[in-house]
Amino acid sequence: DGGITQSPKYLFRKEGQNVTLSCEQNLNHDAMYWYRQDPGQGLRLIYYSQIVNDFQKGDIAEGYSVSREKKESFPLTVTSAQKNPTAFYLCASRDGGSGANVLTFGAGSRLTVL
Amino acid sequence: GENVEQHPSTLSVQEGDSAVIKCTYSDSASNYFPWYKQELGKRPQLIIDIRSNVGEKKDQRIAVTLNKTAKHFSLHITETQPEDSAVYFCAALGYSSASKIIFGSGTRLSIRP
C-alpha cells in the first residue's frame, strides 16, 4: 500500500468515546500529515509533523490530538470533544528533503459515530 | 495564511473532449504544485506536478501550466476517456510554512459517453 499503512480501515464509535487511528510508514519520510475528508468535499489538514517529537496544528485541529514518538508512526486520536467526527481520515507522508515534495497517501480510515 | 482556490467544483465533458481545471494560490513563496486524482473510495494518487521554475509540464494526455505572476496553475486533460472520471485536487506547498501542504476543494470530473 505504497509504504503507508492505516488501520483500522473501518471504525465505529459511540458518542463520548475517544478513538485512535494508526498510521505507519516504512518510507523513511520525515514529514507526516493527517487530513480529514467529508463526503463530496476536499482535504482539510488536521495536524502535521516535520520531525520526531514535533508537530503543528493544521486548519481543523480542535477535538484531535497526535503524537510523533517514532519517525515511522503518527497516530491520530479523535477525542469526544470533536463535535462531528464521522469522516474519512487520510494519513500521508513526504520526504523532508528540499527536492522531494511528493506526498504519498495511505488507504484511509473511515470513522462512523453511532 | 495560505489558501488554494479550485474551479470548477464539478465538470462534465463529452468523451474525447478536453477538460481544464484551474487553481489559484495565495502564498507567493509556494514553489511546488501537485495534482492528485481520487477515485471513489480510494486514496488520492499523484498524477502530475510542477515546480515554480517551470512554466509547463506534459505527461501523455495530461499537462499542467503555471503562471507565477498571476499565481495560478491549471490541469489540462486531452482526449478524455471514461477512466478519467474522478475527483481531482490541486495543492500548493507553502514555502513559508515549510511542510504545510494546502489542497484545493476538488473538482468532480464526469466523462459522458
Side-chain angles (χ1 to χ4, degrees):
Chain A
D1 286 342
I4 300 180
T5 302
Q6 288 187 242
S7 63
K9 189 173 182 179
Y10 299 97
L11 185 62
F12 298 90
R13 189 194 90 175
K14 294 181 179 179
E15 283 193 23
Q17 290 181 334
N18 292 355
V19 62
T20 297
L21 307 180
S22 171
C23 179
E24 303 279 334
Q25 55 100 358
N26 60 6
L27 301 168
N28 199 34
H29 284 174
D30 293 312
M32 297 187 73
Y33 306 77
W34 275 104
Y35 290 91
R36 170 179 172 144
Q37 187 173 33
D38 293 286
Q41 297 192 29
L43 303 170
R44 293 187 289 169
L45 182 63
I46 305 173
Y47 268 98
Y48 65 105
S49 168
Q50 298 183 46
I51 56 173
V52 175
N53 293 323
D54 182 65
F55 49 83
Q56 289 82 39
K57 292 182 179 180
D59 300 320
I60 57 166
E62 185 176 353
Y64 299 97
S65 65
V66 294
S67 63
R68 188 84 188 276
E69 298 178 0
K70 299 186 299 181
K71 187 176 185 178
E72 307 79 31
S73 179
F74 191 41
L76 174 73
T77 297
V78 185
T79 75
S80 56
Q82 170 50 235
K83 299 303 181 186
N84 185 21
T86 294
F88 187 51
Y89 292 88
L90 285 161
C91 179
S93 70
R94 183 180 72 90
D95 188 337
S98 61
N101 288 328
V102 177
L103 194 65
T104 302
F105 285 90
S109 293
R110 189 169 299 279
L111 172 63
T112 302
V113 174
L114 303 174
Chain B
E2 299 89 344
N3 186 46
V4 176
E5 294 189 1
Q6 182 172 345
H7 301 281
S9 58
T10 60
L11 180 61
S12 179
V13 301
Q14 193 75 31
E15 182 177 351
D17 288 350
S18 296
V20 180
I21 303 170
K22 299 181 179 181
C23 288
T24 59
Y25 59 97
S26 60
D27 188 350
S28 58
S30 295
N31 61 357
Y32 174 66
F33 309 92
W35 284 90
Y36 285 82
K37 174 183 180 182
Q38 186 180 30
E39 297 177 352
L40 189 63
K42 296 187 177 181
R43 77 188 80 187
Q45 299 271 15
L46 179 72
I47 56 172
I48 195 167
D49 56 13
I50 191 167
R51 301 185 189 278
S52 58
N53 59 347
V54 176
E56 182 177 0
K57 183 178 179 180
K58 292 184 69 174
D59 183 3
Q60 300 182 356
R61 299 186 295 109
I62 296 173
V64 56
T65 59
L66 172 65
N67 183 326
K68 287 180 59 179
T69 302
K71 291 192 287 187
H72 68 69
F73 56 112
S74 300
L75 177 70
H76 305 254
I77 305 175
T78 60
E79 301 174 15
T80 52
Q81 301 170 4
E83 54 264 36
D84 294 330
S85 293
V87 178
Y88 292 80
F89 294 98
C90 63
L93 181 56
Y95 187 81
S96 61
S97 297
S99 295
K100 190 173 184 179
I101 300 178
I102 302 298
F103 283 85
S105 55
T107 296
R108 182 173 299 279
L109 175 63
S110 300
I111 308 301
R112 303 191 304 271

